[in-house]
Amino acid sequence: MERMNIGILFGGMSEEHEVSCISAKSIYENIDRTRFNPILIGITKAGAFKYFDGDLKHLASGRWEEAANPQATVDLLGIGGTVGIVGEQVIPIDCFFPVLHGPSGEDGKLQGILEFSKIPYVGCGVLSSAMCMDKEIMKDRLRFYNIPQTKYLIPDIDSSAEAVCNQIEQAGFRYPVFIKPANLGSSVGISKVHSSSELERAILSARKYDKKILVEEGVDCREIEVSVLERGREIYVSSPGELIVKNDFYDYDTKYKESTTEFVIPAKVTYREADEIAYLAREAFKCLCCEGIARVDFFIDKKNGKVLLNEINTMPGFTEISMYPKNLQHDGIEYSGIIGELIDCRPLPQSCRYRGSNTLSAEYCRISTDPS
């Protein structure tokens, strides 16, 4: 059987460039070579596409661009993607695996290019990628479908930091609160604010990455994550995993540079909590039109046991320490099998097949997400 050429897209122009490189390295090392021929295609921080066939150590070190093949050209704007190498045969790409995180990779822009070129690709489409990247759109849509969340506020983009501080105070938020860029992941630009005196600095910090920011009320909680894998018509939700964070919160350094976080899989939750988390994960996956893959993050309030949905990631990390593959591996799906299943269930262009039911029962609709 002829192997499929899988273009692993990595890097990108976002603050999560380095994380993407490490994810790509893990996928390249674990993909089933009897079925697939992996081809690494990097996107520089300036937005240029480069074919990388060098030593994988350069992916982890961040020096991959210097080691990229200077004689190769990458074409994604024709009908079907190709990698052309001077003096050699052009390599056609059968399917892309866009393991990019953050803006211009996970937000629908790249997916739009692939749709335009009629190239099959792994993961969520343009609409779901865009909705899930923009925390305002994601949270407003989840609220429409009655999925419980923490209290949140999206200040006006043109509001001064002082005006945003006043909005937060007037809305009656309890401290601590989190200030986040609305269109970024991997905890980049997030601040945990313990008093009003810290607000302005946190607002200015978040706005370095995005003019639109999100304010969320903090919850004394356990952090639970589940991995969602589409298998044919089934939306499979993994066993829940718990993050036990030793630092103040799960920031970028804690995620990717330190090893202080403990992962407990399966999480020690009740049957009711596990069922509720799985149910809400499926509903969120459907109402946000996700396909193939997602990691859904939850809080369990330590005071009252409420399950709250935190966010959805349409292209979660695939590093060796990432929760997405770890959860599924616990359930008996090996790393290479996860990659293979994602490629096998790649959607046809514009194939948004799911819609949320908007029929969540009252027992799941237990907290107001209205910031007013």
Side-chain angles (χ1 to χ4, degrees), residues 43-75:
I43 304 175
T44 70
K45 291 183 178 180
F49 288 74
K50 293 181 178 291
Y51 171 54
F52 179 77
D53 57 356
D55 194 318
L56 292 182
K57 69 180 182 182
H58 295 304
L59 290 179
S61 70
R63 301 175 63 88
W64 72 269
E65 188 176 340
E66 301 169 23
N69 191 322
Q71 295 182 303
T73 60
V74 178
D75 177 20

Coordinates of all heavy atoms in Angstrom, one line a residue, residues 43-75:
I43 N 6.7 27.3 9.4 CA 6.3 28.7 9.0 C 7.1 29.6 10.0 O 7.0 29.4 11.2 CB 4.8 28.9 9.2 CG1 4.0 27.9 8.4 CG2 4.4 30.3 8.9 CD1 2.5 28.0 8.6
T44 N 7.9 30.5 9.4 CA 8.7 31.3 10.2 C 7.9 32.4 10.9 O 6.7 32.6 10.6 CB 9.7 32.1 9.3 OG1 9.1 33.0 8.5 CG2 10.5 31.1 8.4
K45 N 8.5 33.1 11.8 CA 7.8 34.1 12.6 C 7.4 35.3 11.7 O 6.5 36.1 12.0 CB 8.6 34.6 13.7 CG 8.8 33.6 14.8 CD 9.5 34.1 16.0 CE 9.6 33.0 17.1 NZ 10.4 33.4 18.3
A46 N 8.1 35.4 10.5 CA 7.7 36.4 9.5 C 6.6 35.9 8.5 O 6.2 36.6 7.7 CB 9.0 36.8 8.7
G47 N 6.2 34.6 8.6 CA 5.2 34.1 7.8 C 5.6 33.3 6.5 O 4.8 33.0 5.7
A48 N 6.9 33.1 6.4 CA 7.4 32.3 5.2 C 7.3 30.8 5.4 O 7.6 30.4 6.6 CB 8.9 32.7 4.9
F49 N 7.0 30.1 4.4 CA 6.9 28.6 4.5 C 8.2 28.0 4.0 O 8.8 28.4 3.0 CB 5.8 28.1 3.6 CG 4.4 28.4 4.1 CD1 3.9 29.7 4.0 CD2 3.6 27.4 4.6 CE1 2.6 29.9 4.5 CE2 2.4 27.6 5.1 CZ 1.8 28.9 5.0
K50 N 8.8 27.1 4.8 CA 10.0 26.5 4.5 C 10.0 25.0 4.7 O 9.4 24.5 5.7 CB 11.2 27.1 5.4 CG 11.5 28.5 5.0 CD 12.6 29.1 5.9 CE 12.9 30.5 5.6 NZ 13.6 30.6 4.2
Y51 N 10.6 24.2 3.8 CA 10.7 22.8 4.0 C 11.9 22.4 4.9 O 13.0 22.9 4.6 CB 10.8 22.2 2.6 CG 11.2 20.7 2.6 CD1 10.4 19.8 3.2 CD2 12.3 20.2 1.9 CE1 10.7 18.4 3.2 CE2 12.6 18.8 1.8 CZ 11.8 18.0 2.5 OH 12.1 16.6 2.5
F52 N 11.6 21.7 5.9 CA 12.6 21.3 6.9 C 12.9 19.8 6.8 O 12.1 19.0 7.0 CB 12.2 21.7 8.3 CG 13.3 21.4 9.3 CD1 14.4 22.1 9.5 CD2 13.1 20.2 10.1 CE1 15.3 21.8 10.4 CE2 14.1 19.9 11.1 CZ 15.2 20.7 11.2
D53 N 14.2 19.5 6.4 CA 14.6 18.1 6.4 C 15.9 17.9 7.1 O 16.6 17.0 6.9 CB 14.7 17.6 5.0 CG 15.7 18.4 4.1 OD1 16.2 19.4 4.6 OD2 15.9 18.0 3.0
G54 N 16.1 18.8 8.1 CA 17.4 18.7 8.9 C 17.3 17.9 10.1 O 16.3 17.2 10.3
D55 N 18.2 18.1 11.0 CA 18.3 17.4 12.3 C 17.1 17.9 13.2 O 17.0 19.1 13.4 CB 19.6 17.6 12.9 CG 19.9 16.7 14.1 OD1 19.0 16.4 14.9 OD2 21.1 16.2 14.2
L56 N 16.4 16.9 13.8 CA 15.3 17.3 14.6 C 15.6 18.1 15.8 O 14.8 18.7 16.4 CB 14.5 16.0 15.0 CG 13.8 15.2 13.9 CD1 13.1 14.0 14.5 CD2 12.8 16.1 13.2
K57 N 16.9 18.0 16.2 CA 17.3 18.8 17.4 C 17.1 20.3 17.2 O 16.9 21.0 18.2 CB 18.8 18.5 17.7 CG 19.8 19.0 16.7 CD 21.2 18.7 17.1 CE 22.2 19.3 16.2 NZ 23.6 18.9 16.5
H58 N 17.1 20.7 15.9 CA 16.9 22.1 15.7 C 15.5 22.6 15.9 O 15.2 23.8 16.1 CB 17.3 22.4 14.2 CG 18.8 22.2 13.9 ND1 19.8 22.8 14.6 CD2 19.4 21.4 13.0 CE1 21.0 22.4 14.2 NE2 20.8 21.6 13.2
L59 N 14.6 21.6 15.9 CA 13.2 22.0 16.2 C 13.1 22.4 17.7 O 12.4 23.4 18.1 CB 12.2 20.8 15.9 CG 12.0 20.5 14.5 CD1 11.1 19.3 14.3 CD2 11.4 21.7 13.7
A60 N 13.7 21.6 18.6 CA 13.6 21.9 20.0 C 14.4 23.1 20.4 O 14.1 23.8 21.3 CB 14.1 20.6 20.8
S61 N 15.5 23.3 19.6 CA 16.4 24.4 20.0 C 15.9 25.8 19.4 O 16.4 26.8 19.8 CB 17.8 24.2 19.5 OG 17.9 24.3 18.0
G62 N 15.0 25.7 18.5 CA 14.5 27.0 17.9 C 15.3 27.4 16.7 O 15.1 28.5 16.2
R63 N 16.3 26.6 16.3 CA 17.2 27.0 15.2 C 16.8 26.3 13.8 O 17.6 26.2 12.9 CB 18.6 26.7 15.5 CG 19.1 27.4 16.8 CD 20.5 26.9 17.2 NE 21.5 27.3 16.2 CZ 22.1 28.4 16.1 NH1 21.9 29.4 17.0 NH2 23.0 28.7 15.2
W64 N 15.6 25.9 13.7 CA 15.2 25.1 12.6 C 15.2 25.9 11.3 O 15.5 25.4 10.2 CB 13.7 24.5 12.8 CG 12.7 25.6 12.7 CD1 12.1 26.3 13.7 CD2 12.0 26.0 11.5 NE1 11.2 27.2 13.2 CE2 11.1 27.0 11.9 CE3 12.1 25.7 10.1 CZ2 10.3 27.7 11.0 CZ3 11.3 26.4 9.2 CH2 10.4 27.3 9.6
E65 N 14.9 27.2 11.4 CA 14.9 28.0 10.2 C 16.2 28.1 9.5 O 16.3 28.0 8.2 CB 14.4 29.4 10.5 CG 14.1 30.3 9.3 CD 13.6 31.7 9.7 OE1 13.1 31.8 10.8 OE2 13.7 32.6 8.9
E66 N 17.3 28.2 10.3 CA 18.6 28.2 9.7 C 19.0 26.9 9.0 O 19.8 26.9 8.1 CB 19.6 28.5 10.8 CG 19.4 29.8 11.6 CD 20.3 29.9 12.8 OE1 21.3 29.2 12.9 OE2 19.9 30.6 13.7
A67 N 18.4 25.8 9.5 CA 18.7 24.5 8.9 C 17.7 24.0 7.9 O 17.8 22.9 7.4 CB 18.7 23.4 10.1
A68 N 16.7 24.9 7.5 CA 15.7 24.5 6.5 C 16.4 24.4 5.1 O 17.4 25.0 4.9 CB 14.6 25.6 6.5
N69 N 15.8 23.6 4.3 CA 16.3 23.3 2.9 C 16.2 24.6 2.1 O 15.1 25.0 1.7 CB 15.6 22.2 2.3 CG 16.2 21.7 1.0 OD1 16.7 22.5 0.3 ND2 16.2 20.4 0.8
P70 N 17.3 25.2 1.7 CA 17.2 26.5 0.9 C 16.8 26.3 -0.6 O 16.4 27.2 -1.3 CB 18.6 27.0 1.0 CG 19.5 25.8 1.1 CD 18.7 24.9 1.9
Q71 N 16.8 25.0 -1.0 CA 16.5 24.7 -2.4 C 15.0 24.3 -2.6 O 14.6 24.0 -3.8 CB 17.4 23.6 -3.0 CG 18.9 24.0 -3.0 CD 19.8 22.9 -3.6 OE1 19.8 21.8 -3.1 NE2 20.5 23.3 -4.7
A72 N 14.3 24.3 -1.6 CA 12.9 23.8 -1.7 C 11.9 25.0 -1.7 O 12.1 26.1 -1.1 CB 12.6 22.9 -0.5
T73 N 10.8 24.8 -2.4 CA 9.7 25.8 -2.4 C 8.4 25.1 -1.9 O 8.2 23.9 -2.3 CB 9.5 26.4 -3.8 OG1 9.2 25.3 -4.7 CG2 10.7 27.1 -4.3
V74 N 7.6 25.8 -1.2 CA 6.4 25.2 -0.7 C 5.2 26.0 -1.4 O 5.2 27.3 -1.3 CB 6.3 25.3 0.8 CG1 4.9 24.8 1.3 CG2 7.4 24.6 1.5
D75 N 4.3 25.3 -2.0 CA 3.2 26.0 -2.7 C 1.9 25.5 -2.0 O 1.5 24.3 -2.1 CB 3.2 25.6 -4.1 CG 2.0 26.2 -4.9 OD1 1.4 27.2 -4.4 OD2 1.6 25.7 -6.0

